[in-house]
Amino acid sequence: MTLKFKDAMSTEPITVMEAIYSRRSVRHFTDEIVDSELLTTLLNAAVQAPTAMHEEPCAFSIIQDQGLLHRISNEVKTTILATRSDKSTFSQNAIKIVQTKGFEVFYNASTLILICGKFPGKFVEADCWLAAENLMLAAYSHGLGSCVIGLAVEIFNTPEWRSELSIPEGVRVIAPIILGKQSIYTPKIDRKPPEILSWKSLSLEKT
């Protein structure tokens, strides 16, 4: 399968494997708005992900209002700074990040997509994250950068923000993902090789 890929770096089509190996988290964006037609294309790609028992639990909330994103960013930072007593490595690192001068939780991206689970279920969260991966690979194939913003999950599941964003009772925000045109090239970060804990195979045992 070949994906269409258009950005400043290339106009050549890329394969799915090339997208998997080339996609990276982007934190520098232009102010160009992602148009609704392209967003619909990306959401259609997201819902093609595997789903346990064919439940299809994913729903989406889209925010393209910079003023609103700035307000949410400020509240996320305030909430994180209130956890100073938490000495875990994650919390301490999060505090350092949000204390950076001028830091915006959503990195000034033009679009935020919230992938939500519509109902409780054993595999609902996994289904939403599978949809998130499809969304980000599809975005990359269309020349867009993306990044998961895990720091914001807690805020979106508060009654106040659920109400403002018209997220119904019983629906839970699981994966906040920013999208947009990247303004600065983001270098690829090499991953460690797979750590194989076991590999049981009759063919391997016979060799």
Side-chain angles (χ1 to χ4, degrees):
M1 177 181 178
T2 300
L3 299 173
K4 294 179 180 178
F5 177 66
K6 294 180 180 179
D7 71 357
M9 305 300 296
S10 172
T11 57
E12 294 298 317
I14 62 171
T15 66
V16 171
M17 290 300 288
E18 287 171 334
I20 290 171
Y21 277 86
S22 301
R23 189 217 63 82
R24 69 291 310 263
S25 294
V26 172
R27 296 179 177 86
H28 301 278
F29 296 90
T30 71
D31 57 5
E32 183 177 341
I33 300 293
V34 182
D35 68 71
S36 59
E37 184 177 351
L38 178 51
L39 281 179
T40 300
T41 297
L42 301 184
L43 295 179
N44 282 329
V47 298
Q48 304 309 309
T51 173
M53 304 297 291
H54 303 288
E55 288 189 323
E56 300 187 48
C58 297
F60 305 88
S61 180
I62 301 167
I63 303 172
Q64 292 185 301
D65 180 327
Q66 284 294 330
L68 179 57
L69 289 173
H70 181 68
R71 281 175 52 214
I72 300 169
S73 175
N74 284 341
E75 187 159 340
V76 171
K77 290 190 286 186
T78 299
T79 301
I80 291 173
L81 290 173
T83 65
R84 294 177 193 272
S85 59
D86 183 346
K87 299 303 180 183
S88 68
T89 301
F90 179 85
S91 291
Q92 292 303 305
N93 286 340
I95 289 169
K96 288 180 183 177
I97 290 170
V98 302
Q99 285 180 321
T100 304
K101 185 178 180 180
F103 175 75
E104 286 286 334
V105 170
F106 305 111
Y107 298 99
N108 299 308
S110 67
T111 302
L112 173 67
I113 295 182
L114 305 177
I115 302 181
C116 308
K118 293 186 288 186
F119 43 77
K122 186 173 182 179
F123 297 107
V124 167
E125 188 166 335
D127 283 357
C128 289
W129 282 114
L130 288 168
E133 180 71 0
N134 267 27
L135 178 73
M136 291 187 288
L137 289 174
Y140 179 77
S141 78
H142 285 274
L144 297 179
S146 64
C147 187
V148 175
I149 307 297
L151 294 177
V153 173
E154 184 178 346
I155 285 295
F156 288 120
N157 286 302
T158 61
E160 296 78 14
W161 283 110
R162 292 167 61 86
S163 175
E164 179 155 352
L165 298 174
S166 301
I167 297 173
E169 188 69 28
V171 176
R172 186 164 61 96
V173 176
I174 292 173
I177 298 173
I178 53 174
L179 296 173
K181 282 282 188 181
Q182 63 178 340
S183 60
I184 299 175
Y185 174 71
T186 305
K188 181 177 144 183
I189 297 175
D190 291 332
R191 301 294 192 194
K192 297 176 183 177
E195 181 178 349
I196 300 172
L197 299 178
S198 62
W199 190 323
K200 298 185 180 295
S201 168
L202 288 175
S203 61
L204 289 176
E205 290 174 3
K206 291 176 181 179
T207 58

